[in-house]
C-alpha cells in the first residue's frame, strides 16, 4: 500500500473517531434567567413600551411556553427549588431573607451535570446560601460561580466587590450604592462568556441568573439599550420617572445580552449543539403604579392586547406571582415557531436536563422532564408526561394546580378557594362550592406534599453580613441613617438568660416588606436598628401576623421580650400579641404567654405563668398600637435555659 493510501486511511479513521466522539458528547446548556422580567414585559407579547427584539426572535426560532410557572413567588426559594428539583413542600429553602442555605450535600443540577463530565459555571445571583454556609454554589457542583451570593448585595450594580467561589473580587472605583466606575452586570456577562469560550471543547452548563432589571434601577447612560428609546415619546416625557426609563433600558440590555451569547455560540460553531433557555424568575411586580396605570407603568401582569389581568404579583401564589416568560431554542432539534400550553414549573428543569444530558438524577425529585415537549416524541421515544398536580407554599399561603384547576389558601388554617383557569385566568370567581370533590382532592395533595422544612446551616454569618452591607458600602444607606446618628437613643435586649440571636432561625413568617429591606429575619438578628415590618408595598398584609422561630435546641422558657422599632416611628408596633411554645414547628397549642404592648421604646415583657419546655416559638400579632393593620419589631427575644 502506498504512503498516500496509508495517510488517507489514517485520516479517515481519525475522522470517524472524531464523529463518534461528537455523537457521544451531550449538548451544551445555557440557562439565562432574568430577575423579575415579567410575562407581559416582552414586545412579542404586545408590550408597546419595552423593546425586546432578540427575545422576540428567539420566540420565532424556538418554542415559547404560555403556562410556565415559578417554583416560588420570590427569588431565593425558587432558585433553590430549581437547583434541587424539589417543590416548596420539600425544598430546604422556603423563606426569602437573602441567604438561607441549601443543606450540605444536597444534589443540584450542577452536581449532576458535573458527574456527567460537564464544566459547570454560574454567573449572576445565587440566592440559595450566603457565604459561610452549607449552601454556597461551589459546594453544590459549580466549578466557577461569579456574582452575588446574597440577594441584598445584588440590589446594587456598583458594589465594592463581587464574589467568586466565596472569595471577593474587587470592582475598581466602586463603594456600593447607585454610582461608581465598574458596572457589575458587565463584569458578570464578561466572565460568563469567557467561561463558554474556555470550555468550548467539552460539554458545559452555563447558568446566567442575571440580576437586571431587578435591584436599583441603574444603567450606564452610554449603554446601547438607552439609545434604543431615544425617539420614544414616553421616554422623553418629563412626567415619566427616570426609574421607569432606566428599567426599560435594563430590559433591553438583557435582550442585547441574549444576542451576544447567541452570537458567541455561532462564532465558536457551538450553536447546533447548544440548547439555550431564556426565562424570568418569578411573577411580575406592578412597578411604577399611578392612577392611570394601577397595574404598573409597563403592565407586567396585564395582557396589553386583551386587558385581561393576572391576579396578584410577586410574593403571592396567584397567577401574577407565578406566571413567567419561558423560551427555549436549539436549532435543528426544537422546531421553530412553536407555542406550548404545557403546565410545568421550574422544579421540572432538573429532570429535563438529566434526560437531555443522559445524566443520572436522584430518585426523590418532584419534577418531570419536559424534553419531549421540546424536541418531540420521535427524538425521546416517549410521550410527554403530565403533572398530576403542582404544589406551592410561601409564608401563610398554599396553592395547588391540577390541570385547569387552581386551589389557593391565602392564610394558614383559612378557607380554600378554587378557580377554573380555563375560564377565569384572573382568579376572580371562587367555584369551590360547585366542585367540592375537586377541591377535596387538591387539599389532600397539599397535605401530602408538605414536610417540615430543614434548611442548611451557617458556620459563621460574618461574610454573609458583610455582603449584605456591601450594597451601600462604607457610606451606609443614605436614606436610612442609624437612629444613633439622628440623636435617638437605641435600646437593646439585656436580660440575663436571653437566648443568643445567633442560635435562632426563622422557620416561616406571614409576610415581610422586601422593597425597603424590612425582612422578617431582622426581628431576631440581634441588631435593634434593623426592623421587621409586615408587607405593605405589594398590598397590605392583614393581621394576624406570624413568625415561627427555631431556637436551635430545646429550652425551658420563662418568657419573651419585645423591642419596638427604634427609629422614631410607631407604625407596626405590637399591641395584642401572643407567644406559643412547641416541640415541633408545624403544630402549636394554646398560647404560652400573652401581652398587650404599648408605645414604649424599651424592652417589654410577656412572661409565662410557669416555665414551658420546647424548641419552637410562634409569635402572633393581632393588633397595632395605632390600630393599623401592620406589624413591626426591632427585636424579639426569648428568656430561658437550655435543657441538658
Amino acid at each position: 500500500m502506498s504512503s498516500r493510501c496509508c495517510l488517507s486511511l489514517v485520516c479517515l479513521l481519525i475522522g470517524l473517531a472524531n464523529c463518534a466522539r461528537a455523537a457521544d458528547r451531550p449538548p451544551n446548556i445555557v440557562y439565562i434567567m432574568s430577575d423579575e422580567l415579567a410575562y407581559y414585559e416582552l414586545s412579542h407579547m404586545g408590550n408597546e413600551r419595552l423593546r425586546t427584539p432578540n427575545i422576540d426572535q428567539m420566540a420565532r426560532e424556538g418554542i415559547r411556553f404560555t403556562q410556565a410557572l415559578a417554583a416560588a413567588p420570590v427569588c431565593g426559594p425558587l432558585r433553590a427549588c430549581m437547583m434541587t428539583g424539589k417543590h416548596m413542600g420539600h425544598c430546604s429553602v422556603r423563606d426569602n431573607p437573602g441567604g438561607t442555605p441549601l443543606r450540605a450535600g444536597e444534589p443540584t443540577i450542577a452536581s449532576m451535570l458535573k458527574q456527567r463530565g460537564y464544566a459547570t459555571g454560574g454567573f449572576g445571583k445565587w440566592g440559595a446560601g450566603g457565604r459561610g454556609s452549607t449552601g454556597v454554589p461551589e459546594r453544590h457542583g459549580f466549578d466557577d460561580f461569579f456574582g452575588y451570593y446574597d440577594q441584598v448585595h445584588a440590589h446594587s450594580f456598583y458594589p465594592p466587590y463581587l464574589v467568586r467561589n466565596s472569595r471577593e473580587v474587587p470592582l475598581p472605583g466602586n463603594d456600593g450604592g447607585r454610582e461608581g466606575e465598574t458596572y457589575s452586570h458587565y463584569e458578570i456577562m464578561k466572565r460568563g462568556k469567557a467561561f463558554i469560550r474556555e470550555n468550548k471543547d467539552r460539554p458545559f452548563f452555563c447558568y446566567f441568573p442575571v440580576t437586571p432589571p431587578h435591584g436599583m434601577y441603574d444603567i450606564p447612560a452610554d449603554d446601547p439599550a438607552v439609545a434604543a428609546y431615544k425617539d420614544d415619546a414616553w421616554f422623553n416625557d418629563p412626567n415619566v420617572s427616570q426609574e421607569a426609563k432606566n428599567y426599560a433600558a435594563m430590559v433591553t440590555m438583557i435582550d442585547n445580552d441574549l444576542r451576544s451569547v447567541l452570537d458567541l455560540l455561532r462564532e465558536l460553531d457551538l450553536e447546533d449543539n447548544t440548547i439555550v433557555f431564556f426565562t424570568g424568575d418569578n411573577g411580575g411586580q406592578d412597578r411604577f403604579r399611578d392612577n392611570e396605570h394601577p397595574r404598573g407603568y409597563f403592565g407586567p401582569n396585564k395582557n396589553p392586547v386583551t386587558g385581561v389581568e393576572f391576579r396578584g404579583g410577586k410574593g403571592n401564589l396567584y397567577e401574577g406571582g407565578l406566571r413567567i416568560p419561558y423560551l427555549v431554542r436549539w436549532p435543528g432539534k426544537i422546531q421553530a415557531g412553536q407555542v406550548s400550553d404545557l403546565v410545568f414549573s421550574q422544579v421540572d428543569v432538573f429532570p429535563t436536563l438529566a434526560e437531555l444530558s443522559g445524566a443520572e438524577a436522584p430518585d426523590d425529585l418532584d419534577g418531570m422532564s419536559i424534553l419531549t415537549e421540546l424536541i418531540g416524541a420521535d427524538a425521546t421515544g416517549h410521550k410527554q408526561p403530565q403533572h398530576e398536580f403542582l404544589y406551592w407554599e410561601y409564608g401563610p399561603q398554599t396553592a395547588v394546580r391540577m390541570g385547569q384547576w387552581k386551589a389557593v389558601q391565602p392564610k394558614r388554617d383559612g378557607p380554600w378557594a378554587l378557580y377554573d383557569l380555563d375560564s377565569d385566568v384572573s382568579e376572580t370567581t371562587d367555584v369551590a362550592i360547585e366542585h367540592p370533590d375537586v377541591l377535596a382532592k387538591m387539599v389532600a395533595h397539599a397535605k401530602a406534599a408538605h414536610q417540615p422544612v430543614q434548611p442548611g446551616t451557617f458556620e459563621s454569618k460574618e461574610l454573609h453580613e458583610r455582603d449584605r452591607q456591601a450594597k451601600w458600602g462604607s457610606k451606609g444607606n443614605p436614606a436610612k441613617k442609624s437612629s444613633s446618628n439622628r440623636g435617638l437613643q437605641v435600646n437593646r435586649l439585656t436580660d440575663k438568660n436571653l437566648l443568643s440571636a445567633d442560635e435562632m432561625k426563622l422557620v416561616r413568617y406571614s409576610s415581610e416588606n422586601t422593597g425597603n429591606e424590612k425582612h422578617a429575619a431582622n426581628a431576631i438578628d440581634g441588631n435593634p436598628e434593623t426592623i421587621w415590618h409586615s408587607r405593605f408595598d405589594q398590598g397590605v398584609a392583614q393581621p394576624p401576623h406570624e413568625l415561627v422561630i427555631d431556637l436551635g435546641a430545646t429550652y425551658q422558657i420563662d418568657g419573651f421580650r419585645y423591642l419596638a422599632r427604634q427609629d422614631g416611628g410607631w407604625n407596626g408596633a405590637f399591641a395584642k400579641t401572643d407567644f406559643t411554645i412547641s416541640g415541633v414547628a408545624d403544630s402549636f397549642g394554646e398560647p404560652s404567654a400573652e401581652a398587650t404592648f404599648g408605645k414604649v421604646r424599651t424592652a417589654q415583657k410577656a412572661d409565662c405563668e410557669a416555665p414551658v419546655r420546647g424548641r419552637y416559638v410562634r409569635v402572633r400579632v393581632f393588633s397595632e398600637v395605632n390600630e393599623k393593620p401592620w406589624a413591626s419589631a426591632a427585636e424579639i427575644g426569648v428568656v430561658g435555659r437550655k435543657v441538658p
Side-chain angles (χ1 to χ4, degrees), residues 587-629:
S587 179
F588 290 89
E590 294 298 314
S592 309
E594 298 176 278
T596 299
F597 299 118
K599 286 188 176 182
V600 178
R601 295 290 181 201
T602 55
Q604 301 179 72
K605 299 180 178 182
D607 288 330
C608 305
E609 290 187 3
V612 181
R613 182 182 176 123
R615 172 169 176 162
Y616 298 92
V617 172
R618 182 187 66 189
V619 183
R620 292 188 300 178
V621 185
F622 297 91
S623 63
E624 187 239 28
V625 292
N626 291 322
E627 300 183 356
K628 302 293 185 182

Side-chain angles (χ1 to χ4, degrees), residues 6 102 105 174 229 254 282 348 416 529 556-557 582 603 627 637:
C6 289
L102 298 175
N174 289 4
Y229 292 90
I254 293 301
N282 48 244
D348 300 320
W416 286 80
E529 294 195 54
Q556 198 78 9
I557 299 169
S582 176
E627 300 183 356

Side-chain angles (χ1 to χ4, degrees), residues 449-483:
H450 172 78
Q451 294 177 350
V453 64
Q454 296 180 14
T457 58
F458 277 87
E459 294 88 9
S460 167
K461 287 191 175 181
E462 180 180 354
L463 293 176
H464 174 59
E465 291 302 325
R466 174 175 165 80
D467 291 346
R468 295 170 72 83
Q469 293 166 12
K471 172 181 176 177
W472 291 107
S474 63
K475 57 185 172 292
N477 186 344
K480 190 175 68 175
K481 294 181 180 179
S482 72
S483 302

Side-chain angles (χ1 to χ4, degrees), residues 13 22 46 109 159 242 369 392 433 482 559 566 598 611:
L13 292 173
I109 291 171
Q242 187 60 46
S369 171
W392 297 267
I433 294 176
S482 72
Q566 301 291 301

Side-chain angles (χ1 to χ4, degrees), residues 13 39 89 98 118 155 162 185 210 279 306 310 344 356 491 504:
L13 292 173
Y39 188 81
Y118 276 73
H155 289 171
L162 290 173
H185 177 67
V210 293
T279 84
T306 66
F310 294 144
F344 73 101
L356 174 74
N491 298 287
M504 297 193 292

